[in-house]
């Protein structure tokens, strides 16, 4: 599965947990590239999520899609996002590295990673994602005219 688009998407989740995590700076998008942090998770779980996106259509105006998800799990998930926040984050087995040509001269951008990561009250604005498999439970989809639907803390 893959997703990439030009209409902004915001994801709110009560809890996110993942294993086999690595992240590095990247560029995302078609045409005009956007700076992003590309985060790869071998296994990920999200609980009480709300995904929203508003498109501005000719004649109709703003149309908002809202997807509520009780629980979802993914394997082989990579998310390219320009922004993410969390109330709390817990890492175990954390690591940091920079590619080295010599001890005095790094040759590339940094990478960070962890064996396990969990976060609460997580909000992100992904530019794109890919996943091997996504399994969801308790999915409700609504499309309405106007804006709003996943205000911070509105995940149910």
């Amino acid at each position: 599965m893959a997703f990439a688009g030009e209409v902004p998407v915001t994801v709110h989740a009560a809890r996110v947990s993942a294993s086999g995590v690595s992240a590095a700076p990247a560029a995302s998008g078609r045409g005009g590239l956007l700076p992003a942090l590309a985060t790869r998770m071998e296994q990920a779980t999200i609980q009480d999520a709300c995904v929203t996106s508003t498109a501005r259509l000719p004649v109709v105006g703003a149309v908002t899609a809202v997807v509520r998800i009780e629980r979802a799990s993914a394997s082989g998930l990579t998310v390219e996002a320009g922004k993410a926040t969390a109330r709390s984050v817990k890492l175990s087995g954390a690591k940091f590295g920079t590619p080295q040509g010599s001890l005095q001269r790094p040759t590339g951008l940094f990478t960070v990673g962890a064996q396990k990561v969990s976060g609460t009250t997580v909000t992100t604005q992904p530019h794109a994602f890919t996943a091997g498999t996504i399994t969801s439970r308790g999915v409700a989809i609504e499309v309405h005219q106007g804006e709003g639907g996943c205000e911070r803390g509105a995940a149910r």
Side-chain angles (χ1 to χ4, degrees), residues 1-115:
M1 169 178 249
F3 161 84
E6 294 182 20
V7 176
V9 173
T10 301
V11 179
H12 300 280
R15 181 168 172 77
V16 175
S17 57
S19 61
V21 179
S22 62
S28 181
R30 290 181 278 145
L33 292 176
L34 301 170
L37 185 65
T39 304
R40 167 84 176 170
M41 296 158 268
E42 294 304 320
Q43 297 291 326
T45 302
I46 187 169
Q47 296 173 335
D48 295 324
C50 187
V51 181
T52 188
S53 182
T54 301
R56 305 213 184 289
L57 304 176
V59 181
V60 177
V63 175
T64 300
V66 179
V67 180
R68 296 188 188 279
I69 305 166
E70 283 180 27
R71 180 180 173 89
S73 59
S75 64
L77 177 64
T78 299
V79 177
E80 296 173 8
K83 180 180 181 181
T85 61
R87 176 178 292 154
S88 67
V89 175
K90 179 180 178 182
L91 302 168
S92 61
K95 57 188 173 186
F96 173 84
T98 56
Q100 301 283 318
S102 70
L103 292 176
Q104 291 77 30
R105 301 191 93 179
T107 59
L109 298 170
F110 68 88
T111 59
V112 294
Q115 291 172 348

